[in-house]
mmCIF file of all heavy atoms in Angstrom:
data_model
loop_
_atom_site.group_PDB
_atom_site.id
_atom_site.type_symbol
_atom_site.label_atom_id
_atom_site.label_comp_id
_atom_site.label_asym_id
_atom_site.label_seq_id
_atom_site.Cartn_x
_atom_site.Cartn_y
_atom_site.Cartn_z
ATOM 1 N N THR A 15 -10.438 -12.568 8.358
ATOM 2 C CA THR A 15 -9.447 -12.469 9.442
ATOM 3 C C THR A 15 -8.999 -13.864 9.848
ATOM 4 O O THR A 15 -9.831 -14.723 10.130
ATOM 5 C CB THR A 15 -10.055 -11.738 10.649
ATOM 6 O OG1 THR A 15 -10.362 -10.403 10.241
ATOM 7 C CG2 THR A 15 -9.075 -11.683 11.810
ATOM 8 N N ILE A 16 -7.692 -14.065 9.825
ATOM 9 C CA ILE A 16 -7.138 -15.379 10.188
ATOM 10 C C ILE A 16 -6.303 -15.230 11.454
ATOM 11 O O ILE A 16 -5.238 -14.592 11.432
ATOM 12 C CB ILE A 16 -6.300 -15.937 9.017
ATOM 13 C CG1 ILE A 16 -7.219 -16.013 7.783
ATOM 14 C CG2 ILE A 16 -5.704 -17.293 9.372
ATOM 15 C CD1 ILE A 16 -6.591 -16.523 6.548
ATOM 16 N N PRO A 17 -6.797 -15.801 12.575
ATOM 17 C CA PRO A 17 -6.047 -15.672 13.828
ATOM 18 C C PRO A 17 -4.757 -16.496 13.799
ATOM 19 O O PRO A 17 -4.701 -17.555 13.163
ATOM 20 C CB PRO A 17 -7.001 -16.241 14.889
ATOM 21 C CG PRO A 17 -8.286 -16.532 14.200
ATOM 22 C CD PRO A 17 -8.033 -16.563 12.732
ATOM 23 N N ASP A 18 -3.741 -15.978 14.475
ATOM 24 C CA ASP A 18 -2.476 -16.699 14.673
ATOM 25 C C ASP A 18 -1.753 -17.018 13.368
ATOM 26 O O ASP A 18 -1.101 -18.059 13.256
ATOM 27 C CB ASP A 18 -2.710 -17.993 15.482
ATOM 28 C CG ASP A 18 -3.283 -17.686 16.849
ATOM 29 O OD1 ASP A 18 -2.854 -16.670 17.445
ATOM 30 O OD2 ASP A 18 -4.171 -18.425 17.306
ATOM 31 N N TYR A 19 -1.878 -16.146 12.365
ATOM 32 C CA TYR A 19 -1.117 -16.295 11.125
ATOM 33 C C TYR A 19 -0.405 -14.986 10.842
ATOM 34 O O TYR A 19 -1.032 -13.936 10.941
ATOM 35 C CB TYR A 19 -2.036 -16.637 9.943
ATOM 36 C CG TYR A 19 -1.270 -16.827 8.644
ATOM 37 C CD1 TYR A 19 -0.751 -18.076 8.294
ATOM 38 C CD2 TYR A 19 -1.012 -15.739 7.804
ATOM 39 C CE1 TYR A 19 -0.018 -18.229 7.126
ATOM 40 C CE2 TYR A 19 -0.269 -15.891 6.640
ATOM 41 C CZ TYR A 19 0.220 -17.134 6.309
ATOM 42 O OH TYR A 19 0.959 -17.298 5.162
ATOM 43 N N PRO A 20 0.869 -14.991 10.482
ATOM 44 C CA PRO A 20 1.768 -16.147 10.354
ATOM 45 C C PRO A 20 2.353 -16.618 11.678
ATOM 46 O O PRO A 20 3.089 -17.600 11.692
ATOM 47 C CB PRO A 20 2.878 -15.607 9.440
ATOM 48 C CG PRO A 20 2.918 -14.147 9.711
ATOM 49 C CD PRO A 20 1.515 -13.742 10.072
ATOM 50 N N LYS A 21 2.011 -15.909 12.785
ATOM 51 C CA LYS A 21 2.550 -16.301 14.103
ATOM 52 C C LYS A 21 1.449 -16.191 15.147
ATOM 53 O O LYS A 21 0.510 -15.406 14.968
ATOM 54 C CB LYS A 21 3.654 -15.335 14.563
ATOM 55 C CG LYS A 21 4.802 -15.145 13.657
ATOM 56 C CD LYS A 21 5.872 -14.361 14.381
ATOM 57 C CE LYS A 21 5.736 -12.904 14.081
ATOM 58 N NZ LYS A 21 6.818 -12.356 13.288
ATOM 59 N N PRO A 22 1.594 -16.896 16.260
ATOM 60 C CA PRO A 22 0.608 -16.770 17.324
ATOM 61 C C PRO A 22 0.436 -15.309 17.740
ATOM 62 O O PRO A 22 1.408 -14.562 17.810
ATOM 63 C CB PRO A 22 1.209 -17.594 18.480
ATOM 64 C CG PRO A 22 2.138 -18.550 17.817
ATOM 65 C CD PRO A 22 2.649 -17.866 16.578
ATOM 66 N N GLY A 23 -0.813 -14.896 17.965
ATOM 67 C CA GLY A 23 -1.090 -13.535 18.437
ATOM 68 C C GLY A 23 -1.383 -12.542 17.328
ATOM 69 O O GLY A 23 -1.904 -11.466 17.585
ATOM 70 N N ILE A 24 -1.042 -12.881 16.069
ATOM 71 C CA ILE A 24 -1.312 -11.955 14.953
ATOM 72 C C ILE A 24 -2.690 -12.263 14.367
ATOM 73 O O ILE A 24 -3.041 -13.426 14.155
ATOM 74 C CB ILE A 24 -0.253 -12.117 13.823
ATOM 75 C CG1 ILE A 24 1.166 -11.898 14.353
ATOM 76 C CG2 ILE A 24 -0.577 -11.203 12.633
ATOM 77 C CD1 ILE A 24 1.587 -10.475 14.563
ATOM 78 N N LEU A 25 -3.474 -11.215 14.129
ATOM 79 C CA LEU A 25 -4.723 -11.362 13.383
ATOM 80 C C LEU A 25 -4.419 -10.950 11.952
ATOM 81 O O LEU A 25 -4.257 -9.757 11.670
ATOM 82 C CB LEU A 25 -5.809 -10.453 13.955
ATOM 83 C CG LEU A 25 -6.382 -10.836 15.315
ATOM 84 C CD1 LEU A 25 -7.341 -9.751 15.810
ATOM 85 C CD2 LEU A 25 -7.114 -12.182 15.224
ATOM 86 N N PHE A 26 -4.304 -11.908 11.059
ATOM 87 C CA PHE A 26 -3.950 -11.601 9.675
ATOM 88 C C PHE A 26 -5.186 -11.150 8.919
ATOM 89 O O PHE A 26 -6.178 -11.871 8.855
ATOM 90 C CB PHE A 26 -3.321 -12.824 8.993
ATOM 91 C CG PHE A 26 -2.708 -12.495 7.654
ATOM 92 C CD1 PHE A 26 -1.430 -11.970 7.572
ATOM 93 C CD2 PHE A 26 -3.428 -12.694 6.479
ATOM 94 C CE1 PHE A 26 -0.870 -11.647 6.345
ATOM 95 C CE2 PHE A 26 -2.865 -12.371 5.245
ATOM 96 C CZ PHE A 26 -1.589 -11.849 5.176
ATOM 97 N N ARG A 27 -5.144 -9.946 8.359
ATOM 98 C CA ARG A 27 -6.270 -9.402 7.590
ATOM 99 C C ARG A 27 -6.049 -9.769 6.131
ATOM 100 O O ARG A 27 -5.218 -9.173 5.440
ATOM 101 C CB ARG A 27 -6.351 -7.887 7.772
ATOM 102 C CG ARG A 27 -6.375 -7.435 9.231
ATOM 103 C CD ARG A 27 -7.562 -7.981 10.000
ATOM 104 N NE ARG A 27 -7.529 -7.516 11.400
ATOM 105 C CZ ARG A 27 -8.496 -7.737 12.249
ATOM 106 N NH1 ARG A 27 -9.563 -8.441 11.904
ATOM 107 N NH2 ARG A 27 -8.411 -7.298 13.494
ATOM 108 N N ASP A 28 -6.793 -10.766 5.685
ATOM 109 C CA ASP A 28 -6.586 -11.388 4.376
ATOM 110 C C ASP A 28 -7.497 -10.732 3.340
ATOM 111 O O ASP A 28 -8.725 -10.849 3.428
ATOM 112 C CB ASP A 28 -6.907 -12.885 4.527
ATOM 113 C CG ASP A 28 -6.881 -13.638 3.215
ATOM 114 O OD1 ASP A 28 -6.235 -13.165 2.263
ATOM 115 O OD2 ASP A 28 -7.520 -14.715 3.157
ATOM 116 N N ILE A 29 -6.878 -10.038 2.354
ATOM 117 C CA ILE A 29 -7.705 -9.368 1.337
ATOM 118 C C ILE A 29 -7.966 -10.254 0.114
ATOM 119 O O ILE A 29 -8.598 -9.791 -0.823
ATOM 120 C CB ILE A 29 -7.117 -8.013 0.870
ATOM 121 C CG1 ILE A 29 -5.778 -8.203 0.152
ATOM 122 C CG2 ILE A 29 -7.026 -7.015 2.008
ATOM 123 C CD1 ILE A 29 -5.483 -7.107 -0.862
ATOM 124 N N THR A 30 -7.503 -11.503 0.122
ATOM 125 C CA THR A 30 -7.780 -12.339 -1.072
ATOM 126 C C THR A 30 -9.281 -12.537 -1.251
ATOM 127 O O THR A 30 -9.761 -12.655 -2.377
ATOM 128 C CB THR A 30 -7.076 -13.715 -1.022
ATOM 129 O OG1 THR A 30 -7.588 -14.478 0.066
ATOM 130 C CG2 THR A 30 -5.576 -13.584 -0.892
ATOM 131 N N THR A 31 -10.022 -12.539 -0.156
ATOM 132 C CA THR A 31 -11.488 -12.675 -0.261
ATOM 133 C C THR A 31 -12.101 -11.410 -0.863
ATOM 134 O O THR A 31 -13.054 -11.489 -1.646
ATOM 135 C CB THR A 31 -12.082 -12.961 1.130
ATOM 136 O OG1 THR A 31 -11.372 -12.171 2.111
ATOM 137 C CG2 THR A 31 -11.938 -14.430 1.499
ATOM 138 N N LEU A 32 -11.538 -10.260 -0.523
ATOM 139 C CA LEU A 32 -12.012 -9.000 -1.136
ATOM 140 C C LEU A 32 -11.679 -8.985 -2.632
ATOM 141 O O LEU A 32 -12.513 -8.624 -3.465
ATOM 142 C CB LEU A 32 -11.372 -7.813 -0.408
ATOM 143 C CG LEU A 32 -11.819 -6.417 -0.844
ATOM 144 C CD1 LEU A 32 -11.734 -5.457 0.348
ATOM 145 C CD2 LEU A 32 -10.974 -5.853 -1.972
ATOM 146 N N LEU A 33 -10.472 -9.423 -2.970
ATOM 147 C CA LEU A 33 -10.069 -9.432 -4.387
ATOM 148 C C LEU A 33 -10.939 -10.398 -5.192
ATOM 149 O O LEU A 33 -11.184 -10.176 -6.385
ATOM 150 C CB LEU A 33 -8.598 -9.842 -4.524
ATOM 151 C CG LEU A 33 -7.575 -8.924 -3.843
ATOM 152 C CD1 LEU A 33 -6.179 -9.542 -3.904
ATOM 153 C CD2 LEU A 33 -7.562 -7.542 -4.491
ATOM 154 N N GLY A 34 -11.375 -11.456 -4.542
ATOM 155 C CA GLY A 34 -12.186 -12.470 -5.223
ATOM 156 C C GLY A 34 -13.656 -12.097 -5.349
ATOM 157 O O GLY A 34 -14.420 -12.787 -6.033
ATOM 158 N N ASP A 35 -14.041 -10.998 -4.713
ATOM 159 C CA ASP A 35 -15.440 -10.542 -4.731
ATOM 160 C C ASP A 35 -15.490 -9.347 -5.692
ATOM 161 O O ASP A 35 -15.030 -8.251 -5.376
ATOM 162 C CB ASP A 35 -15.807 -10.126 -3.294
ATOM 163 C CG ASP A 35 -17.196 -9.521 -3.167
ATOM 164 O OD1 ASP A 35 -17.725 -8.986 -4.165
ATOM 165 O OD2 ASP A 35 -17.726 -9.556 -2.043
#
Side-chain angles (χ1 to χ4, degrees):
T15 296
I16 302 180
D18 300 322
Y19 181 88
K21 304 190 266 248
I24 303 282
L25 289 174
F26 191 83
R27 307 300 180 173
D28 174 22
I29 65 153
T30 64
T31 39
L32 184 150
L33 299 173
D35 175 336

